[in-house]
Amino acid sequence: MRRFAALTALTITLLGVSACTSDKDKDAAAEATPDDSTCKQLLGDAGLKWLKERTGDKAGLKAESDLKTARSVFHQQVENFYGKAKEPGPKDPLANWFQKAEVCESKKDFTKRGKELEILYGPAATAFDHNVNRASNGGFKIAETPVNSDVKLVDMTDPGGKVTYTLHVKCKIPGTPAEQANEIPLEGQMLDTLTGETSARIHYTHLLYSAKVVANTFGCENKPVIPAEAPASVK
């Protein structure tokens, strides 16, 4: 879930170039000094070291949503989904078009568009036991790798070759129906145009670490087993 800021035109009286700072400059300053605590939680020491080495220690960190907010958003969307499922009449085909919270972003310059690393978490649009493994879907190549009964990995490659590293975790959120863990699993995504890293295994190592942190924070009642590494078949 990416934030889109709305810009409002303001009429101001300029008293001198040195006496005022534009809203744009203020926004840029705020973006340049973001809160990085959630990213540090999700990446851990090994992930932070990897990011530092791959970017020459020039990338900053920020989070649009902390984990408490991400959990609240997840729970609300699940609650809405099951509430609508009980309503009479035809169902909205986009009822499970869930949003994800951007819980970590890394860039070399937050004031400009450019290469970035993002980690997002939210409800998955497909059930855990739904096999999404297929050669192509509208130009996207999708490949699924089972890990265990609680976790699976899903590579999604767009027509331009950009890979989104995705994992699904059976996570029973407190206060939701028993079937939620399978029907609406937790989904984590990592998109990386920043580091130049080509190894799926390395990306999944850091994404799996973050999944453990998220699962603990979300309080998954079923205690999913999330390994430290991807299966040996993932290179």
Side-chain angles (χ1 to χ4, degrees):
M1 180 177 61
R2 186 181 296 277
R3 180 186 62 217
F4 292 91
L7 299 180
T8 303
L10 299 176
T11 302
I12 60 173
T13 301
L14 298 180
L15 299 178
V17 174
S18 63
C20 66
T21 304
S22 71
D23 285 340
K24 182 178 179 181
D25 291 337
K26 289 178 182 177
D27 289 343
E31 292 285 345
T33 56
D35 177 15
D36 61 5
S37 58
T38 301
C39 283
K40 288 181 176 178
Q41 278 183 274
L42 293 169
L43 289 169
D45 292 341
L48 291 170
K49 180 181 178 182
W50 165 73
L51 186 61
K52 178 178 179 178
E53 291 174 347
R54 298 295 302 188
T55 62
D57 198 21
K58 293 181 180 179
L61 301 168
K62 77 166 187 175
E64 178 185 318
S65 299
D66 60 21
L67 297 183
K68 182 178 179 181
T69 300
R71 183 189 182 283
S72 178
V73 171
F74 185 104
H75 189 281
Q76 186 62 56
Q77 292 187 92
V78 169
E79 190 175 65
N80 290 344
F81 175 83
Y82 283 109
K84 291 181 183 300
K86 295 177 182 177
E87 294 176 355
K91 300 298 182 285
D92 181 358
L94 298 180
N96 61 341
W97 188 264
F98 300 116
Q99 290 184 313
K100 291 173 180 59
E102 184 180 85
V103 289
C104 182
E105 181 183 12
S106 179
K107 294 180 74 171
K108 292 185 178 179
D109 188 345
F110 285 103
T111 68
K112 300 178 181 179
R113 292 184 179 273
K115 296 180 179 179
E116 61 187 356
L117 180 142
E118 294 177 285
I119 300 176
L120 305 97
Y121 274 92
T126 57
F128 187 87
D129 59 10
H130 175 71
N131 189 341
V132 299
N133 197 11
R134 51 190 182 272
S136 181
N137 180 30
F140 284 77
K141 295 180 180 178
I142 303 174
E144 179 179 303
T145 303
V147 176
N148 56 34
S149 60
D150 294 325
V151 181
K152 66 179 181 180
L153 311 179
V154 183
D155 290 349
M156 295 186 288
T157 307
D158 71 15
K162 181 180 177 182
V163 181
T164 299
Y165 302 98
T166 304
L167 55 77
H168 289 179
V169 180
K170 280 186 182 179
C171 173
K172 170 60 176 69
I173 300 294
T176 63
E179 59 270 24
Q180 173 264 307
N182 178 68
E183 290 184 347
I184 309 178
L186 174 66
E187 180 174 278
Q189 294 184 334
M190 177 180 284
L191 301 89
D192 179 16
T193 57
L194 175 67
T195 69
E197 180 65 70
T198 58
S199 168
R201 187 172 191 80
I202 290 176
H203 281 108
Y204 276 123
T205 295
H206 301 304
L207 189 57
L208 284 163
Y209 180 91
S210 74
K212 284 186 179 182
V213 175
V214 174
N216 288 336
T217 304
F218 279 25
C220 304
E221 293 180 331
N222 56 319
K223 307 297 183 184
V225 177
I226 302 174
E229 296 183 345
S233 60
V234 178
K235 303 299 182 183

